[in-house]
Amino acid sequence: MHAEITRRTFLKGAAATGVLAGLGGVTASSFATTSADSGSKNVKQVYNCCPRNCYDTCSVITTVEDGVIKFVTGNPENTYTNGRLCVKGYTYPRRVYSPDRVKYPMKQTAKGSGKWEQITWDEAFEIIGRKIIDIRNEYGNTLGVCLNKYSGNFNVLTYGIEGMMASFGHTTRCQGTPCWPAGIDSQTFDMGTILNSDPESFALSKMIIVWGANPAWCSVHSMHIIQKAKENGCKVVFIDPVMTASASKADEFIEIKTSTDGALALGMCRYILDHNLQDDAWLEANSIGYKDFIDYVNKNITVEWAAEKTGIPAKVIERLAHEYATTQPAAIWIGYGMQRHANGGANVRAIDALAALCGNVGKLGAGANYAQLDSWGFNYAAQVDSPANPDNVASDRFININNFAADLLDINNNTKNPPVKLLWVACRNPMSQDPEAGLVEKAYKSVELVVTVDQFFNKSVEMSDIVLPACTIFETWGLHASYWHYWMNGNEPAIEQMYESKCDVEIAMGLSKKMNSIQPDSCTYISDRTMEEWCAREMSSAFMQKFGFSDWKEIFKKGTVKVKGYDAAWADGKFRTPSGKYEFYSQLAASTGNHLLPVYREALQNNDPVYNIRAMTPHWKYGLHSQFQNLDWMADLHNEPFVEMNPVLAAQKGIQDGDAVKVASSIGHLVLKARVTANVPKDEVVIYEAWYKDNPFNVNYIVKAIPADMGVYATGKPGVSFHDTFVSVEKV
Ligand SMILES: Nc1nc2c(c(=O)[nH]1)N[C@H]1C(S)=C(S)[C@@H](COP(=O)(O)OP(=O)(O)OC[C@H]3O[C@@H](n4cnc5c(=O)[nH]c(N)nc54)[C@H](O)[C@@H]3O)O[C@H]1N2
Ligand SMILES: Nc1nc2c(c(=O)[nH]1)N[C@H]1C(S)=C(S)[C@@H](COP(=O)(O)OP(=O)(O)OC[C@H]3O[C@@H](n4cnc5c(=O)[nH]c(N)nc54)[C@H](O)[C@@H]3O)O[C@H]1N2
Ligand SMILES: [Mo]
């Protein structure tokens, strides 16, 4: 399939030279090629990168014919992407050419009115720039400008927005992350930071436990590695309340009661201690506090107790513990899904402790693998290169990204000075992705000017005053790292920018220019760098050296490079904790109000007589949050949200497959089609979060903003318990 792909530039006739020349800057990086059937067409292939918030962060090869993207595929040079994309990735050409794209800057007469009017970039910058300057003149600072930005595009250059904000003054910032903070704190307390082994080394494992992750949907390329391990004789176990598509490929699926994973891990520890299967030598050499932990387990935990809590038979817990402690090497993959609970952080610490008790950390094919940020050594130039603009306050004002609406309303309703008068939303769809969507709508309405930079007219854009068109990755430059594997991908333009779209850093530069023309020195953000210059500024020599190259252009020539040395995380035994050891006993944890030890914390108790069925709202296979499922190509595959429920629950409620069902929580309700399946627990329902075009469905109308137990230490704010919402279910 990739026979035509070549590292060298294959020029057939003069036209191809034109294509290459047209790219400007580091043109040699595009490897042009023509094939027999392309006649006189200009065909070239370009390296792009899927920039979504996904484990896989795939290196993409884009085939462009006469300036039009024909198809995309995975880069075979990247052994994680492995020459393939996921179902979402393959729809990129449609995303680029979708008629639904935001094409021009537009202004809406009233939020939610749908009455949009096209304006020029100059007009848009004028309205926004004047508003910012007015706010600054009134208050002496720009805290009245709020930024909500997260994960729609993880290109490091999008940090230009943060940089531009600092360049006109202090602002109100959303702090924290909805993804993974509870687990980050856990691993920071235990090991000093998050650091997983190169997932490609799982192929060498003899046992893999995937604990609360669903890679068949959420990290498709990891399934290939798991399959490889299986072929090498590895036993694969999935632990999840739901029999997921991933679990269906396992050697063993263990159905656990939701939010009780800590009890299972600790029950396994008790069995291991009873049978003297712990790794005493490793514990003595590499950890502190293990005697206290062992004491805690022996005094408080039994396998029977764990069986009672988790709903897993004691015999199964014992067998799993025995296999885990006696199989070398054994890897655990701790998913983000399982930490979206009020006790999620405590559960991750218990699993970490299980791995450490068996000395299963720092060895090839082993580990308690959660995530990593070690390969993200960019300069963050787009954010920090411009000088900050001083004003009459000392710092930004931080609100919780996971409680955004309530925090913003708290400021604006209580006339806390200064109110938020301008909200800038980029790479973010709070109306769809935040819990308590009803409240988010109120928060939007409390702001005088909401500006959203996006590609589609989604729910957040609908509630904005101005929308600015963001280009896709195929129309700009980018640098991308993963929080899971160790590849870095370069992204260069495959086509010209469509319509009037721009990328975020270009928008930052444009606004800066405009502000300074209205009022000199009102914004210090650099406004005259080319995209190539921004890319060059992102990588220091030391950083490039880690990846084995020395000139910034190399990453665009190769498309993808990997940093070496992470096959087995923590192999050097140098944990980044205060003691330098694995800390069963963590003063840092205690300093944040958590227990010193990885003890069991009870799941959120629900005693509500009406809303007493747990609703989980995990991630969807045909969408990445609010992206992709809205495309017509995807709608052809699937186009209707649904609620999954077990036949037992369905029978209790008199519901049959296909019935319309009302799912209500204390804050809102949804009407959905029932999908009756034994794959979900008997006493829970599962609804996947996604944005469908022309459909009012939004699962977050019923999801409550309940904080997780951890996240504050490493990310500033706690995580959010997306799976701790309780609902009632009835046939309509
Ligand atoms: N109920 C429930 N809710 C959840 C979750 C859950 O499990 N259950 N999961 C949570 C998690 S883990 C996450 S990470 C969040 C994700 O929340 P978000 O980060 O808001 O997620 P996305 O929908 O991926 O992206 C937001 C927007 O970015 C836009 N975008 C794409 N590219 C660009 C660009 O180049 N520039 C700009 N300016 N915009 C761009 C997209 O079109 C999209 O509208 O959702 C959370 N919400
Ligand atoms: N297709 C697709 N891929 C994605 C995303 C997407 O939206 N769609 N989102 C991306 C992002 S931002 C993220 S954060 C990751 C998330 O990646 P994952 O962590 O794999 O995904 P989730 O859907 O959040 O949850 C995974 C599993 O956790 C299970 N789970 C929930 N509660 C518990 C529990 O208490 N115990 C156990 N053992 N399991 C539990 C759920 O049933 C689910 O099967 O995926 C990324 N990849
Ligand atoms: Mo996420």
Side-chain angles (χ1 to χ4, degrees):
M1 186 178 175
H2 298 291
E4 78 280 19
I5 292 168
T6 156
R7 288 288 127 235
R8 71 208 154 81
T9 304
F10 173 39
L11 302 176
K12 191 179 178 192
T17 321
V19 170
L20 285 177
L23 275 169
V26 290
T27 49
S29 49
S30 302
F31 43 106
T33 161
T34 56
S35 58
D37 60 358
S38 64
S40 60
K41 286 190 170 136
N42 265 325
V43 181
K44 65 170 180 173
Q45 290 186 306
V46 176
Y47 292 119
N48 289 110
C49 175
C50 180
R52 311 276 86 91
N53 180 353
C54 176
Y55 290 92
D56 291 18
T57 310
C58 287
S59 178
V60 175
I61 292 178
T62 306
T63 299
V64 183
E65 218 176 82
D66 284 345
V68 177
I69 296 173
K70 284 296 166 184
F71 63 92
V72 290
T73 189
N75 183 354
E77 300 289 321
N78 179 313
T79 49
Y80 183 86
T81 300
N82 197 33
R84 292 168 179 84
L85 299 177
C86 69
V87 64
K88 306 177 296 305
Y90 285 120
T91 66
Y92 269 124
R94 187 53 179 167
R95 180 170 172 140
V96 173
Y97 300 113
S98 167
D100 300 335
R101 267 182 74 169
V102 179
K103 302 181 176 86
Y104 318 101
M106 298 191 104
K107 195 171 82 177
Q108 192 170 212
T109 45
K111 292 180 183 78
S113 67
K115 292 189 181 129
W116 290 98
E117 169 200 342
Q118 185 181 339
I119 54 175
T120 63
W121 274 105
D122 196 58
E123 284 167 324
F125 285 150
E126 177 83 27
I127 298 169
I128 301 163
R130 280 207 186 272
K131 184 82 183 171
I132 296 168
I133 290 167
D134 284 352
I135 289 171
R136 191 172 161 121
N137 287 343
E138 187 174 352
Y139 297 96
N141 60 59
T142 45
L143 291 181
V145 179
C146 175
L147 173 64
N148 192 336
K149 177 164 172 285
Y150 190 49
S151 70
N153 179 346
F154 270 158
N155 179 359
V156 69
L157 298 183
T158 68
Y159 287 98
I161 297 300
E162 282 87 341
M164 180 265 289
M165 294 268 164
S167 302
F168 57 69
H170 290 103
T171 52
T172 300
R173 299 288 181 101
C174 288
Q175 195 180 29
T177 123
C179 268
W180 53 344
I184 296 185
D185 264 14
S186 316
Q187 294 222 315
T188 304
F189 300 147
D190 298 339
M191 291 175 266
T193 190
I194 44 170
L195 189 70
N196 61 272
S197 299
D198 180 349
E200 290 174 61
S201 71
F202 289 0
L204 305 170
S205 305
K206 287 295 165 219
M207 182 173 191
I208 299 175
I209 302 180
V210 183
W211 207 318
N214 185 10
W217 287 8
C218 294
S219 178
V220 179
H221 298 78
S222 295
M223 286 306 278
H224 168 73
I225 299 160
I226 290 172
Q227 184 59 28
K228 238 166 135 178
K230 272 180 87 169
E231 283 159 20
N232 291 338
C234 172
K235 174 168 181 179
V236 177
V237 179
F238 274 79
I239 302 173
D240 204 299
V242 178
M243 173 66 154
T244 60
S246 315
S248 73
K249 299 276 184 288
D251 295 297
E252 185 170 6
F253 165 56
I254 294 178
E255 184 185 335
I256 188 167
K257 273 191 204 160
T258 306
S259 203
T260 66
D261 303 86
L264 173 59
L266 294 169
M268 288 168 73
C269 287
R270 177 62 197 259
Y271 174 92
I272 287 162
L273 292 168
D274 284 352
H275 295 79
N276 209 21
L277 294 171
Q278 73 281 6
D279 187 339
D280 290 320
W282 190 90
L283 291 169
E284 187 54 35
N286 295 290
S287 73
I288 63 162
Y290 74 91
K291 287 184 182 143
D292 299 278
F293 174 65
I294 289 174
D295 199 43
Y296 163 76
V297 173
N298 284 333
K299 285 199 179 123
N300 297 281
I301 306 291
T302 63
V303 172
E304 290 67 32
W305 168 87
E308 171 74 30
K309 286 277 168 202
T310 60
I312 302 165
K315 282 265 165 291
V316 174
I317 297 177
E318 287 171 354
R319 182 172 46 71
L320 184 68
H322 191 87
E323 281 174 3
Y324 177 69
T326 56
T327 309
Q328 302 287 332
I332 297 176
W333 175 353
I334 303 171
Y336 308 141
M338 64 142 287
Q339 50 94 59
R340 301 190 217 286
H341 292 287
N343 65 349
N347 287 340
V348 174
R349 276 189 86 197
I351 297 172
D352 286 351
L354 165 69
L357 188 70
C358 297
N360 253 338
V361 177
K363 293 170 183 161
L364 196 61
N369 301 282
Y370 183 68
Q372 66 90 16
L373 287 173
D374 262 36
S375 67
W376 288 65
F378 300 108
N379 291 330
Y380 295 93
Q383 180 171 354
V384 303
D385 267 12
S386 294
N389 208 333
D391 52 18
N392 67 3
V393 285
S395 69
D396 290 329
R397 173 170 63 182
F398 292 104
I399 60 175
N400 184 351
I401 198 169
N402 294 322
N403 202 34
F404 162 70
D407 281 8
L408 197 147
L409 284 168
D410 186 42
I411 291 172
N412 282 3
N413 287 346
N414 296 328
T415 55
K416 277 190 194 160
N417 265 339
V420 169
K421 293 189 168 185
L422 189 157
L423 170 65
W424 186 287
V425 182
C427 304
R428 184 79 180 114
N429 187 354
M431 278 293 302
S432 162
Q433 293 312 120
D434 274 16
E436 307 193 5
L439 207 58
V440 182
E441 195 170 319
K442 286 198 183 117
Y444 267 61
K445 284 183 177 157
S446 79
V447 178
E448 288 171 10
L449 183 67
V450 178
V451 179
T452 300
V453 186
D454 211 305
Q455 291 162 349
F456 292 96
F457 286 90
N458 59 36
K459 291 183 192 297
S460 296
V461 174
E462 281 170 17
M463 288 306 296
S464 303
D465 298 285
I466 289 184
V467 63
L468 304 176
C471 67
T472 67
I473 43 155
F474 302 95
E475 301 154 73
T476 190
W477 294 83
L479 286 165
H480 304 258
S482 156
Y483 47 75
W484 181 234
H485 60 66
Y486 286 89
W487 292 87
M488 170 170 54
N489 299 330
N491 179 87
E492 59 175 357
I495 55 169
E496 298 281 316
Q497 280 177 330
M498 302 273 297
Y499 316 107
E500 292 185 11
S501 65
K502 294 180 194 288
C503 72
D504 292 85
V505 71
E506 287 170 330
I507 295 170
M509 291 192 291
L511 182 60
S512 178
K513 216 178 258 173
K514 185 64 176 189
M515 284 180 68
N516 289 321
S517 78
I518 300 171
Q519 188 179 91
D521 304 323
S522 57
C523 187
T524 54
Y525 196 68
I526 293 166
S527 56
D528 56 359
R529 270 196 191 152
T530 64
M531 292 306 293
E532 291 94 319
E533 282 165 347
W534 280 116
C535 291
R537 296 283 311 167
E538 284 297 345
M539 293 173 287
S540 68
S541 313
F543 178 61
M544 289 188 283
Q545 226 163 39
K546 270 176 84 172
F547 286 87
F549 65 101
S550 54
D551 180 346
W552 69 272
K553 290 176 187 161
E554 285 286 308
I555 179 67
F556 298 99
K557 286 183 191 153
K558 292 192 164 87
T560 188
V561 284
K562 187 177 178 179
V563 59
K564 303 244 165 13
Y566 290 94
D567 291 348
W570 306 117
D572 60 3
K574 289 184 187 143
F575 292 97
R576 297 180 203 165
T577 51
S579 67
K581 307 260 185 188
Y582 183 99
E583 296 198 355
F584 284 95
Y585 188 95
S586 168
Q587 295 288 359
L588 271 187
S591 76
T592 58
N594 289 291
H595 203 283
L596 278 165
L597 294 167
V599 300
Y600 186 61
R601 180 174 286 143
E602 288 293 343
L604 189 78
Q605 299 303 306
N606 171 58
N607 302 316
D608 194 298
V610 180
Y611 307 114
N612 50 19
I613 299 165
R614 185 189 286 276
M616 289 212 285
T617 60
H619 300 189
W620 174 231
K621 78 172 147 174
Y622 295 137
L624 196 133
H625 302 300
S626 63
Q627 309 195 58
F628 298 106
Q629 176 61 77
N630 61 305
L631 299 175
D632 49 3
W633 281 11
M634 215 52 113
D636 283 349
L637 287 177
H638 164 88
N639 199 22
E640 194 176 27
F642 55 91
V643 51
E644 287 185 335
M645 64 178 73
N646 192 283
V648 173
L649 181 64
Q652 274 168 18
K653 303 281 176 186
I655 293 166
Q656 294 195 338
D657 195 66
D659 280 352
V661 167
K662 180 176 171 187
V663 182
S665 75
S666 60
I667 60 162
H669 75 269
L670 304 166
V671 176
L672 293 159
K673 198 180 252 188
R675 222 185 236 188
V676 178
T677 165
N679 288 345
V680 300
K682 293 186 180 64
D683 53 353
E684 299 187 5
V685 294
V686 176
I687 309 169
Y688 300 100
E689 47 120 355
W691 170 49
Y692 295 78
K693 196 191 159 195
D694 300 329
N695 190 321
F697 169 76
N698 175 2
V699 76
N700 281 314
Y701 278 117
I702 63 166
V703 175
K704 291 165 76 172
I706 300 165
D709 52 344
M710 293 183 198
V712 177
Y713 179 73
T715 72
K717 292 287 182 285
V720 54
S721 310
F722 282 113
H723 305 319
D724 281 345
T725 286
F726 288 84
V727 299
S728 63
V729 174
E730 62 184 79
K731 191 174 161 177
V732 288

